Amino acid sequence: MAQKTAKAKAVARKDMSYVQWILKEMRRNWVAYAMIAPYVIIFALFTIVPVVLSVVISFTDFNMLQWPNFVWLENYITLFFADDTFLLACKNTLIFAAIVGPVSYLLSFLVAWFINELSPKIRAIVTLIFYAPSISGQVYMIWGTLFSADSYGWVNATLMELGMINEPETWFRDADWVMPLCIVVALWTSLGTSFLSFIAGLQGVNRDMYEAGAVDGIKNRWQELWYITLPSMGPQLMFGAIMAITGAFGFGAVVNALAGFPSVDYAAHTIMHHLEDYGSQRYEVGYSSAIATVLFLIMIGANMIVKKLISKVGS
Amino acid sequence: MAKLRTRKHKVVLSRSVGGDTGITILLTLLGIFMVLPMVYVISQSLKPLDELWMYPPRFLVKNPTPNNFRDLFRLMNDSWVPFSRYIFNTVLNAVGGTFGHLFLASMAAYALAKIKFPGSKLIFETIRTSLMFHSTVTAITSFMIMAAFKMIDTYWAIIIPAWGSTLGLYLMKQFMDTHVHDSVLESARLDGASELRTYWTIAMPMVKPAWLTLIVYSFQGLWNAGSSIYIYSEQYKSFNYAIGQITAGGIKRAGASAAATVLMMLVPIMVFVITQSNIIETMGSSGMKD
């Protein structure tokens, strides 16, 4: 009986055109659509639509007050050829992301790897120590106190005590120091989701493979890491990379809080700040949408490149 | 053949003493770098006034006192909008946003992971791709959409977008893929259970680590949310924003602001300590295949 219906179904599917079959499948699975609908509608409304809208508006001169006109590429031409601050912001963003992204990624992996062989209790404590700064809200503000610009700041006082400087440095108010310091703070808060994902991934590697590897002549932990551990963690490495990249582009708040807005001589001005400046302070929405679109493309591009690189690991 | 030696009853590869020492030293240095600023915040929050303004400054507190916390509560009572209101706002946003997200995202994750229907792959790919960009990119156009729905300057401006956040759904879907077996669902369906029932009574209890993780992530994000461009009335602003105002009060509030930071960080850290093992278990299936 069951066989007969299965056969009948198969024949029926062959008789239908592709579109008919899709429609039939859609009708049959209406519950699934009902289940995803509430989430997908909100997701689309606050993630997809804003991206699309942003691209469209970037071709207009919209300013929240007047009816927008299409100006086509004018915003982009201004951005790349007439807005020096934007080019500076691009440079700063790329420096930030190119340091914070890879370093935080490597740091997350190395720490996760180092603590992998500790006993579970100690591993849990070490995990908390490294993870805590990334979840503790505005705790990074303490770097402003440590590096405060007067001689009451602990770092200044210590350096003066040691005779390394005579006058207190102004740190976050100094165009030469603000970038490196913000990078250090960003790194300090960067052992987040990818770090946890690596810890779990390392725990999930099959123990038998290590023994088999030993039999096959793997001599030390570095060979073991390269030939066994990394290849079996591919999916985690990919997920971690995406989290690290997203994080590396999202450091604007740290800079705002510690270096002020705008930062001294625009030394730590990033695309994110430029976007905020034009979008939520000057209401030049068309122009800021062009900035957002460029940033969006940079983020997606960075992810594409990294995906390519990671698919080569251990092969 | 490599030499095998046992460490805690498990067969592991030979580990050189040099490597062990090097790693321990490196890990200790990194650990000190991570932990020192945290120690400094706690130490600052316990320093009496004369120690906060001592020259040369001391790193650790000498005579710890709870005065800064007392000052903080006094400042809270004096503020124009009562502090209880800020706390209420943050708790309401965190709870409302988290539970809405939990229900909507887990239901969608179940359908995406366990029901085959046309379009499911495309939808999940889109959601996965959106993990790649930071939400600041969409802040201004999101503002316009919220304005169209009259959500600006209401609780909804924070709560509803949280329902549609992506990381929670992604982790939940991946976890269901690996931990909920089709055979179990199949037998429930044969017994006549509806999809909604199968999701709620069979799949959900099997993915407890995933929904704990989702709750923790969503809660942390909303708890730590500071000022938002979607909210401008003082009485809808968050606790974190109000704490920031105290910190901005400058020199004379250094102690109170350290105390506030300590209070703010205690909550997410405690939540993580309690749920750590569940989160790590969830992360075990977080990987991306291509």
Side-chain angles (χ1 to χ4, degrees), chain B residues 143-166:
Chain B
F143 184 94
M144 293 162 64
I145 290 166
M146 286 185 201
F149 286 94
K150 303 252 182 303
M151 280 160 61
I152 297 296
D153 210 25
T154 66
Y155 290 116
W156 299 119
I158 307 292
I159 293 177
I160 300 218
W163 292 356
S165 53
T166 40

Side-chain angles (χ1 to χ4, degrees), chain B residues 17 21 26 59 63 81 86 102 134 149 156 160 165 174 209 225 228 230 283 290:
Chain B
V17 181
T21 337
L26 200 56
F59 195 84
N63 305 305
V81 172
Y86 293 118
L102 174 64
H134 200 267
F149 286 94
W156 299 119
I160 300 218
S165 53
Q174 296 296 85
S228 157
Y230 312 129
M283 290 297 166
D290 49 278

Side-chain angles (χ1 to χ4, degrees), chain A residues 22 25-26 29 31-36 38-40 42-43 45-51 53-54 57 62 64 107 111 113-115 117-119 123-124 126-133 135-139 141-143 145-146 151-154 157 160-161 184 188 191-193 196-197 199-201 207 210-211 214-215 217-221 224 234-236 238-239 242-243 246 249-250 272 275-276 279-280 285 288-289 292-293 295-296 299-300 303 307, chain B residues 1-2 4 7-8 10-11 13-16 19-20 23 26-27 30-31 33-35 37-38 40-41 44 52-59 101 104-105 107-108 110-112 115-119 123 126-134 136-138 140-146 149 151 160-161 163-167 169-171 195-196 199 217 220 224 226 229 240-241 243-244 247 261 265 268-269 272-273 276 279-281 283-290:
Chain A
I22 290 282
E25 279 294 293
M26 286 175 84
N29 286 305
V31 183
Y33 292 102
M35 285 175 90
I36 62 166
Y39 177 84
V40 168
I42 289 171
F43 166 75
L45 215 51
F46 294 104
T47 305
I48 304 299
V49 178
V51 170
L53 203 59
S54 180
I57 292 176
F62 190 40
M64 293 273 209
L107 217 56
V111 174
W113 186 55
F114 289 167
I115 67 177
E117 286 176 21
L118 299 174
S119 74
R123 196 169 60 228
V126 181
T127 305
L128 178 67
I129 288 176
F130 281 88
Y131 184 62
I135 49 168
S136 303
Q138 296 181 350
V139 77
M141 293 294 287
I142 199 63
W143 287 85
T145 317
L146 274 168
S151 50
Y152 286 96
W154 185 76
M160 281 159 82
E161 195 89 332
V184 169
W188 184 68
L191 275 80
T193 308
L196 298 184
S197 173
I199 292 175
R207 303 263 138 214
Y210 290 131
E211 284 169 44
V215 174
I218 279 179
K219 287 194 189 65
N220 55 43
R221 69 181 93 211
E224 182 187 287
Q236 249 87 21
M238 193 71 87
F239 174 70
I242 287 169
M243 291 291 110
T246 314
F249 281 106
M272 214 84 91
L275 173 64
E276 262 178 48
S280 21
V285 178
S288 70
S289 292
T293 307
L295 186 56
F296 177 74
M299 285 176 182
I300 298 285
N303 275 287
K307 272 185 157 187
Chain B
M1 204 175 105
L4 291 171
R7 186 189 277 183
K8 286 190 189 128
K10 266 181 218 152
V11 184
L13 268 166
S14 159
R15 295 281 189 250
S16 67
D20 276 349
I23 284 176
L26 200 56
L27 194 63
L30 285 172
F33 168 70
M34 295 307 278
V35 92
M38 297 298 234
Y40 191 64
V41 179
Q44 284 288 87
L52 281 169
W53 300 110
M54 193 164 71
Y55 186 83
R58 282 172 55 93
F59 195 84
H101 178 49
L104 299 193
M107 195 160 72
Y110 171 82
L112 289 170
I115 308 176
K116 282 194 192 70
F117 60 94
I123 290 168
T126 315
I127 293 169
R128 210 186 70 165
T129 309
S130 79
L131 284 176
M132 291 184 190
F133 58 88
H134 200 267
T136 28
V137 194
T138 55
I140 290 147
T141 32
S142 292
F143 184 94
M144 293 162 64
I145 290 166
M146 286 185 201
F149 286 94
M151 280 160 61
I160 300 218
W163 292 356
S165 53
T166 40
L167 188 58
L169 177 123
Y170 174 78
L171 292 173
E195 287 293 352
L196 210 57
Y199 146 72
Y217 263 91
Q220 269 165 11
N224 288 331
I229 60 165
N240 205 355
Y241 157 84
I243 294 283
T247 315
T261 313
M265 74 187 208
I269 288 180
F272 178 69
V273 168
Q276 186 179 10
I279 295 180
I280 300 283
E281 195 184 340
M283 290 297 166
S285 54
S286 67
M288 250 174 220
K289 287 273 150 47
D290 49 278

